[in-house]
Structure formats: C-alpha cells, structure tokens
Amino acid sequence: MVEESENTIGVNILDGDAKVAVRKLSFPLMVSLVIGSLYYIVDAMWISGLGVDALTAIGFIIPLQFIILGIGAGLGSGITAVISKYIGMKNHKLANNASFHSLLLIIIFSVIITLLLLVFMEPLYILIGASGMNLQLALEFSRVFFVGSILLIFPQAMYGILRAEGDVKRTMYAMFLSTIINIILDPIFIYQLNMGIAGAAYATLISLLIVCLVIIYWIYIKKDTYLKPYRTYFKYDAGIIRDILKIGIPASIEFFVLSFVGIIMNLLLLMVSNSDYVAVYETGWRLISFAFEPLIGIGSALVSIVGFNYGAKRFNRINEAYNYAMFLGTIIGIISAVILYVFANQIAYLFAYSSTSSMLHEPFVVFLKYFSIAFLTFPIGVVSTYLFQGFGKANVSLLLTFTREAVCAIIFSYLFAVVFNMGLNGVWLGNVVGYTIGAFIAFIIGKIYVSRLLKNN
C-alpha cells in the first residue's frame, strides 16, 4: 500500500529527464493501445465470416461506437491533464479529490450516453445509410452493446487516472487481458453458441467487465496506486469539474468529429460506389488505427509529461519532450508506412478470407496502399495535437482535429472523388492529401506556441 506522501515509480519518471520520460511512458502505452486495437480487428475478422452484410453492419456501427469511446477517452484526457498538473504542483490532496470527481463524471456521462443511444440508434443508423439486412444486423449488435456502455467508458477514463501518475504499465496489462479474453470468447459466442453478430457484442462486454473489476481491485483492494479516489478525500469542488470538462468535452468532441467524418465518408462512398465499400473503409480504418495507435501512445504520454512540467513550470522540459516525441513518432510512422504498403496484399486476406467476402480483397489492398502514404506525416500532426491537451488547451486540440478531419479530409475527398470524377480512388487520395495538410498545420501551430512559451518565461 502506497502512503499519501510517497512517490511511485511513475511519478518519479514524470519528475525526471524529459526524453527518458517520453520513452518509458510511451512504450507501455503503445503496447496497450496496439493490443486494444486488436480488439476491433479480431472482431472484424470473426464477423467477416458471417458475410458482407455483417461486415457492412459493423461499418455503420463503428461511428456510434466512437461516440462511446470518445466519452471515455475524452474524459480520460481531461483527467490526465488536470491531475498530472496537480501532481506537478505537489498538491496530493487536490489530486486525490480530482480523482474522485472523475469517478462521478464517469457515472453521469455513462448513464446519459447509454439512454441516448438506446433511444436514437435506429434513426441514426437509417440517417447514415444503413438499410435492409445490414440495418437489422447493426441493431442486433447495438441492442446488446449499448446497454453496457459504462463498461467501455469506465476503463478508458480510469486509464486517465493511471496515466496522470505515470502508471502506464497497468494500462497495458489491463488492455492485454481484455483483448485475450475477447479473442477467446468471440468464436465461442459468434459460432459455437450460434449467436451471430450479437455474440461479438456479448464477448466484448464480458471482457470489458473483467477489466473493470481488475482496475477496481488495484485501486480499492490492493491500494498501491499514488492517487486515492476514495470517498474520504472527496470535497465537492466545481472548479475541478470545470477544469476536467474544459479539456474532456473538447477531447470527446474530437472523437465525435471522427464519427461525423466516418458518417460523411460512408455517404460519399455510397454516392460513388455501393455499401460493400463502406465495409472496406470502416474495416480498413481498423487496420489503419492499429498502425496509428503507437502514435497515440506517444501523444498520450506527452499529455502527462506536459501537464506535470507545466504545473512545475519547467518549460524547457516541455520543449525537449515535444521534439523528442515527434522524432520517435516519425520513425514509427515510416516503419508503419513500409509495412502497410509492402504487405497490403497479405493483410487484406485477414478480412476477405470467406467466399462471401473475397470480392473485397482487391479494394482492401488499394485502400491500404493509399493510406500508408499518410503515415509519413501523421506523427507530427498527432503529437502536436496532444501537446495542447497537456497544456489544458483542449479547444486548440479540437480545432486542429476538426481542421484535419472535417475540413481537409472531407473537402479533398469530395473534390477528387466527385468534382474530378476519380470515384473510389478519389476518396482515398482525398483523405491522404487532407491528413497531410492538417498535420503540417498542427505542427506549425505547435512549434509557434512552444517557442512563445519559452520566450515569455
């Protein structure tokens, strides 16, 4: 059991050399996020065996899943930035109080989002283009999955508490456990118990429930975390809630933007092709997200480091961590680009192995080769976006994400696909061009902000 005044290993890492902190915090986060992405890839692999309609249904489900994930991840970002700043200020009492406020926010948002999705899921699916069998399959999955929304929101937000104190290894352990359980349960529920697409939802919720129980064990039974989100430390403070939501809401909206972009892309694909290519886009994005997660891991580590050093007023360390994070991200981006491009043909078979989905193999290959190019510039944009979350400037982070996703990607995709009449390839090319421009915009703004911070202080 960790005493109130005792620093944990994670806190000592945050308090040490900036480059070392980036490396030590990023690696477990990279691993945990890559493992977490396997969750969705494994689901898609098993579901693809049910046919194109099932895989297309998942394509329509993903934008709504992103809303739930966005609530949890957004709150987690707000929690990390705020609490790490309090820890940097050496105010353990305030950090503990903020961690309990975080639990209350998790419960409130879970109830609201669950009720809204259960009531409006069918009209939302119809609005974004689902129909016929893929609509029925989407509803079959969602009636199970959305009831357990809190099981997705709770661990995402609690990871924010663990990241705030630099305890990223436990995040890795929890996500690894969850993914392994999901991999085991998927074929059992989908095929052996003959539950179809709903079986994937049950498998996911059970694996998430086990993770929630593990997190509760660490904090409330083992009691060896630096932060203590206990009732005894709680004293209502509207300022803490305001600080968390000031970052958490814009960070959550970033995920809503991604959902919105996914919906628009689906509609654009239906305009220039058919619903089969919705499956290509959404399932392909699962693969892209898998390669994208190490960059998110670096960005998430940077939030903790920037928040801690901002609270401690060590601005040179912030600049050092920012530059080093971009360097690591660029190396990973180049490696990801090469792997996706060279092995696109082999990777595509993972989602087009059945007789009913084999016709999607070639479109998957083309998709992967186009998007591999974007990984050459992804890193500087992602790291720069997360930089502002660490500063508590979540509105800037949201604006950068909105510019990249909802402005650049959509405009260029429509321009190439419809105006230049390039069809499906125009959608893919437009995404790549849009993301590249958005990345450079974020990089320039990030460098200017840090330079001014150093100059003014």
Side-chain angles (χ1 to χ4, degrees), residues 69-241:
L69 182 65
I71 293 291
L75 284 175
S77 294
I79 290 164
T80 298
V82 171
I83 296 180
S84 62
K85 182 179 70 174
Y86 295 155
I87 296 174
M89 294 164 58
K90 310 298 182 185
N91 195 331
H92 191 262
K93 182 178 179 181
L94 189 57
N96 280 334
N97 195 19
S99 66
F100 193 88
H101 279 73
S102 302
L103 290 178
L104 298 180
L105 289 172
I106 291 168
I107 294 170
I108 293 169
F109 276 90
S110 296
V111 171
I112 293 172
I113 197 67
T114 299
L115 292 175
L116 287 175
L117 287 175
L118 287 175
V119 171
F120 295 108
M121 63 180 174
E122 185 167 0
L124 282 172
Y125 282 137
I126 294 172
L127 180 66
I128 63 178
S131 61
M133 181 55 69
N134 56 58
L135 172 61
Q136 295 306 312
L137 290 171
L139 291 173
E140 186 180 334
F141 180 95
S142 301
R143 290 188 183 108
V144 176
F145 187 80
F146 291 161
V147 171
S149 296
I150 190 171
L151 298 178
L152 184 58
I153 295 173
F154 177 81
Q156 289 294 329
M158 293 303 290
Y159 294 154
I161 293 178
L162 295 174
R163 288 197 303 267
E165 62 177 73
D167 191 351
V168 292
K169 286 188 178 179
R170 278 196 253 219
T171 300
M172 178 176 66
Y173 300 149
M175 296 188 79
F176 180 77
L177 175 65
S178 178
T179 301
I180 293 299
I181 293 172
N182 192 53
I183 290 172
I184 294 171
L185 294 181
D186 258 347
I188 295 173
F189 279 82
I190 294 172
Y191 296 106
Q192 291 188 14
L193 298 179
N194 199 31
M195 298 175 71
I197 196 169
Y202 281 112
T204 298
L205 291 181
I206 290 172
S207 62
L208 289 171
L209 174 62
I210 292 173
V211 167
C212 292
L213 294 176
V214 168
I215 293 172
I216 290 170
Y217 167 77
W218 283 332
I219 294 175
Y220 295 103
I221 298 177
K222 196 175 182 183
K223 298 182 178 181
D224 62 344
T225 55
Y226 179 78
L227 293 166
K228 316 292 183 188
Y230 306 157
R231 176 67 181 85
T232 51
Y233 292 105
F234 175 69
K235 182 179 181 181
Y236 177 73
D237 187 335
I240 291 176
I241 292 179

Side-chain angles (χ1 to χ4, degrees), residues 383-418:
V383 171
S384 298
T385 300
Y386 276 88
L387 169 76
F388 287 100
Q389 289 187 14
F391 283 126
K393 305 287 184 180
N395 288 331
V396 178
S397 176
L398 172 60
L399 181 61
L400 294 175
T401 299
F402 185 83
T403 300
R404 182 183 68 239
E405 301 280 347
V407 177
C408 295
I410 289 177
I411 288 176
F412 282 101
S413 293
Y414 182 83
L415 183 67
F416 288 121
V418 179

